[in-house]
Short mmCIF file of all heavy atoms in Angstrom, two decimals:
data_model
loop_
_atom_site.label_atom_id
_atom_site.label_comp_id
_atom_site.label_asym_id
_atom_site.label_seq_id
_atom_site.Cartn_x
_atom_site.Cartn_y
_atom_site.Cartn_z
N ARG A 1 1.40 -4.39 8.43
CA ARG A 1 2.73 -4.63 7.85
C ARG A 1 2.53 -5.25 6.47
O ARG A 1 1.95 -6.33 6.34
CB ARG A 1 3.52 -5.57 8.75
CG ARG A 1 4.97 -5.86 8.30
CD ARG A 1 5.63 -6.73 9.36
NE ARG A 1 6.99 -7.11 9.09
CZ ARG A 1 8.08 -6.42 9.45
NH1 ARG A 1 7.92 -5.26 10.08
NH2 ARG A 1 9.29 -6.85 9.20
N ALA A 2 3.02 -4.56 5.44
CA ALA A 2 2.86 -5.04 4.06
C ALA A 2 4.04 -4.56 3.23
O ALA A 2 4.18 -3.36 2.99
CB ALA A 2 1.54 -4.54 3.47
N PHE A 3 4.88 -5.49 2.80
CA PHE A 3 6.13 -5.15 2.12
C PHE A 3 5.92 -4.79 0.64
O PHE A 3 4.89 -5.09 0.04
CB PHE A 3 7.09 -6.34 2.15
CG PHE A 3 7.64 -6.69 3.51
CD1 PHE A 3 8.35 -7.86 3.68
CD2 PHE A 3 7.46 -5.85 4.59
CE1 PHE A 3 8.87 -8.20 4.91
CE2 PHE A 3 7.97 -6.18 5.84
CZ PHE A 3 8.68 -7.36 6.00
N ALA A 4 6.98 -4.20 0.09
CA ALA A 4 7.04 -3.95 -1.35
C ALA A 4 7.20 -5.27 -2.11
O ALA A 4 7.87 -6.19 -1.64
CB ALA A 4 8.22 -3.04 -1.68
N GLY A 5 6.60 -5.33 -3.29
CA GLY A 5 6.79 -6.49 -4.16
C GLY A 5 8.07 -6.43 -4.95
O GLY A 5 8.56 -7.45 -5.44
N LEU A 6 8.62 -5.20 -5.12
CA LEU A 6 9.86 -4.95 -5.85
C LEU A 6 9.81 -5.38 -7.32
O LEU A 6 10.83 -5.70 -7.92
CB LEU A 6 11.06 -5.62 -5.16
CG LEU A 6 11.44 -5.05 -3.80
CD1 LEU A 6 12.62 -5.83 -3.20
CD2 LEU A 6 11.79 -3.56 -3.90
N VAL A 7 8.62 -5.37 -7.89
CA VAL A 7 8.44 -5.66 -9.31
C VAL A 7 7.88 -4.44 -10.02
O VAL A 7 8.39 -4.02 -11.06
CB VAL A 7 7.50 -6.87 -9.50
CG1 VAL A 7 7.22 -7.09 -10.99
CG2 VAL A 7 8.09 -8.14 -8.88
N ASP A 8 6.84 -3.85 -9.45
CA ASP A 8 6.15 -2.72 -10.05
C ASP A 8 6.36 -1.50 -9.15
O ASP A 8 5.73 -1.38 -8.10
CB ASP A 8 4.66 -3.05 -10.18
CG ASP A 8 3.86 -1.98 -10.90
OD1 ASP A 8 4.24 -0.80 -10.82
OD2 ASP A 8 2.83 -2.33 -11.51
N LYS A 9 7.25 -0.60 -9.55
CA LYS A 9 7.58 0.57 -8.73
C LYS A 9 6.34 1.43 -8.46
O LYS A 9 6.11 1.87 -7.33
CB LYS A 9 8.65 1.41 -9.41
CG LYS A 9 9.10 2.61 -8.58
CD LYS A 9 9.96 3.59 -9.36
CE LYS A 9 11.30 3.00 -9.75
NZ LYS A 9 12.20 4.03 -10.37
N GLU A 10 5.55 1.67 -9.49
CA GLU A 10 4.37 2.52 -9.34
C GLU A 10 3.38 1.92 -8.34
O GLU A 10 2.83 2.61 -7.49
CB GLU A 10 3.69 2.72 -10.70
CG GLU A 10 2.51 3.68 -10.66
CD GLU A 10 1.91 3.93 -12.03
OE1 GLU A 10 2.57 3.61 -13.03
OE2 GLU A 10 0.78 4.44 -12.08
N LYS A 11 3.19 0.61 -8.43
CA LYS A 11 2.28 -0.06 -7.50
C LYS A 11 2.81 0.01 -6.07
O LYS A 11 2.06 0.31 -5.14
CB LYS A 11 2.09 -1.52 -7.91
CG LYS A 11 1.14 -2.31 -7.01
CD LYS A 11 1.00 -3.75 -7.49
CE LYS A 11 0.07 -4.54 -6.56
NZ LYS A 11 -0.06 -5.95 -7.00
N ASP A 12 4.10 -0.24 -5.90
CA ASP A 12 4.69 -0.17 -4.56
C ASP A 12 4.56 1.23 -3.98
O ASP A 12 4.20 1.40 -2.81
CB ASP A 12 6.16 -0.59 -4.59
CG ASP A 12 6.34 -2.10 -4.71
OD1 ASP A 12 5.36 -2.84 -4.52
OD2 ASP A 12 7.47 -2.53 -5.02
N GLU A 13 4.85 2.23 -4.78
CA GLU A 13 4.82 3.60 -4.27
C GLU A 13 3.40 4.11 -4.04
O GLU A 13 3.22 5.10 -3.33
CB GLU A 13 5.59 4.52 -5.20
CG GLU A 13 7.09 4.21 -5.20
CD GLU A 13 7.94 5.24 -5.90
OE1 GLU A 13 7.40 5.96 -6.78
OE2 GLU A 13 9.14 5.33 -5.58
N SER A 14 2.41 3.43 -4.59
CA SER A 14 1.02 3.80 -4.30
C SER A 14 0.60 3.37 -2.90
O SER A 14 -0.41 3.83 -2.38
CB SER A 14 0.08 3.17 -5.34
OG SER A 14 -0.07 1.77 -5.11
N GLU A 15 1.39 2.46 -2.29
CA GLU A 15 1.11 2.00 -0.92
C GLU A 15 -0.35 1.55 -0.78
O GLU A 15 -1.06 1.98 0.13
CB GLU A 15 1.41 3.11 0.08
CG GLU A 15 2.86 3.53 0.16
CD GLU A 15 3.66 2.66 1.12
OE1 GLU A 15 3.46 1.44 1.08
OE2 GLU A 15 4.48 3.19 1.87
N GLU A 16 -0.79 0.66 -1.68
CA GLU A 16 -2.22 0.36 -1.75
C GLU A 16 -2.79 -0.24 -0.47
O GLU A 16 -3.95 0.01 -0.12
CB GLU A 16 -2.52 -0.55 -2.94
CG GLU A 16 -1.86 -1.91 -2.91
CD GLU A 16 -2.20 -2.76 -4.12
OE1 GLU A 16 -2.78 -2.22 -5.08
OE2 GLU A 16 -1.90 -3.96 -4.10
N VAL A 17 -2.00 -1.01 0.28
CA VAL A 17 -2.52 -1.63 1.50
C VAL A 17 -2.69 -0.58 2.59
O VAL A 17 -3.78 -0.37 3.13
CB VAL A 17 -1.61 -2.78 1.98
CG1 VAL A 17 -2.18 -3.39 3.26
CG2 VAL A 17 -1.47 -3.84 0.91
N ILE A 18 -1.59 0.10 2.95
CA ILE A 18 -1.64 1.12 3.99
C ILE A 18 -2.59 2.25 3.62
O ILE A 18 -3.42 2.69 4.43
CB ILE A 18 -0.23 1.69 4.25
CG1 ILE A 18 0.65 0.63 4.92
CG2 ILE A 18 -0.28 2.96 5.09
CD1 ILE A 18 0.36 0.39 6.38
N THR A 19 -2.50 2.73 2.38
CA THR A 19 -3.35 3.82 1.92
C THR A 19 -4.81 3.41 1.92
O THR A 19 -5.69 4.18 2.30
CB THR A 19 -2.93 4.30 0.52
OG1 THR A 19 -1.56 4.72 0.56
CG2 THR A 19 -3.80 5.44 0.05
N GLY A 20 -5.07 2.18 1.49
CA GLY A 20 -6.44 1.69 1.47
C GLY A 20 -7.06 1.67 2.85
O GLY A 20 -8.20 2.11 3.05
N PHE A 21 -6.32 1.16 3.82
CA PHE A 21 -6.84 1.15 5.19
C PHE A 21 -6.99 2.56 5.74
O PHE A 21 -7.99 2.88 6.41
CB PHE A 21 -5.95 0.31 6.10
CG PHE A 21 -6.29 -1.15 6.10
CD1 PHE A 21 -5.68 -2.03 5.21
CD2 PHE A 21 -7.25 -1.66 6.97
CE1 PHE A 21 -6.00 -3.38 5.21
CE2 PHE A 21 -7.58 -3.00 6.97
CZ PHE A 21 -6.96 -3.88 6.09
N ALA A 22 -6.03 3.44 5.46
CA ALA A 22 -6.13 4.81 5.96
C ALA A 22 -7.33 5.52 5.34
O ALA A 22 -7.97 6.35 6.00
CB ALA A 22 -4.85 5.57 5.65
N ASN A 23 -7.65 5.21 4.09
CA ASN A 23 -8.78 5.85 3.41
C ASN A 23 -10.13 5.37 3.92
O ASN A 23 -11.08 6.15 4.02
CB ASN A 23 -8.70 5.62 1.90
CG ASN A 23 -7.64 6.46 1.23
OD1 ASN A 23 -7.19 7.45 1.79
ND2 ASN A 23 -7.22 6.07 0.04
N TYR A 24 -10.24 4.06 4.22
CA TYR A 24 -11.55 3.48 4.49
C TYR A 24 -11.79 3.07 5.94
O TYR A 24 -12.93 2.88 6.35
CB TYR A 24 -11.78 2.28 3.56
CG TYR A 24 -11.76 2.66 2.11
CD1 TYR A 24 -10.76 2.18 1.26
CD2 TYR A 24 -12.70 3.53 1.57
CE1 TYR A 24 -10.72 2.54 -0.09
CE2 TYR A 24 -12.67 3.90 0.25
CZ TYR A 24 -11.68 3.40 -0.58
OH TYR A 24 -11.65 3.77 -1.91
N ALA A 25 -10.73 2.96 6.74
CA ALA A 25 -10.92 2.64 8.15
C ALA A 25 -11.43 3.88 8.88
O ALA A 25 -11.14 5.01 8.50
CB ALA A 25 -9.61 2.16 8.77
N THR A 26 -12.17 3.66 9.93
CA THR A 26 -12.67 4.77 10.75
C THR A 26 -11.92 4.84 12.08
O THR A 26 -12.36 5.52 13.01
CB THR A 26 -14.18 4.60 11.01
OG1 THR A 26 -14.42 3.31 11.61
CG2 THR A 26 -14.96 4.68 9.71
N ILE A 27 -10.78 4.16 12.16
CA ILE A 27 -9.93 4.14 13.34
C ILE A 27 -8.50 4.49 12.92
O ILE A 27 -8.17 4.45 11.73
CB ILE A 27 -9.95 2.75 14.03
CG1 ILE A 27 -9.52 1.65 13.05
CG2 ILE A 27 -11.33 2.47 14.60
CD1 ILE A 27 -9.42 0.26 13.67
#
């Protein structure tokens, strides 16, 4: 669970937390 910061639209839409885990987790 990781919310939007509502400051930087591009950063929020990159979904860096969820995407990062999906890219590098093996589960």
Side-chain angles (χ1 to χ4, degrees):
R1 183 176 179 90
F3 292 170
L6 293 178
V7 175
D8 185 331
K9 183 191 293 187
E10 184 176 344
K11 180 179 179 181
D12 284 346
E13 293 191 336
S14 74
E15 295 274 43
E16 62 180 11
V17 180
I18 290 285
T19 301
F21 273 92
N23 285 342
Y24 299 115
T26 56
I27 58 176

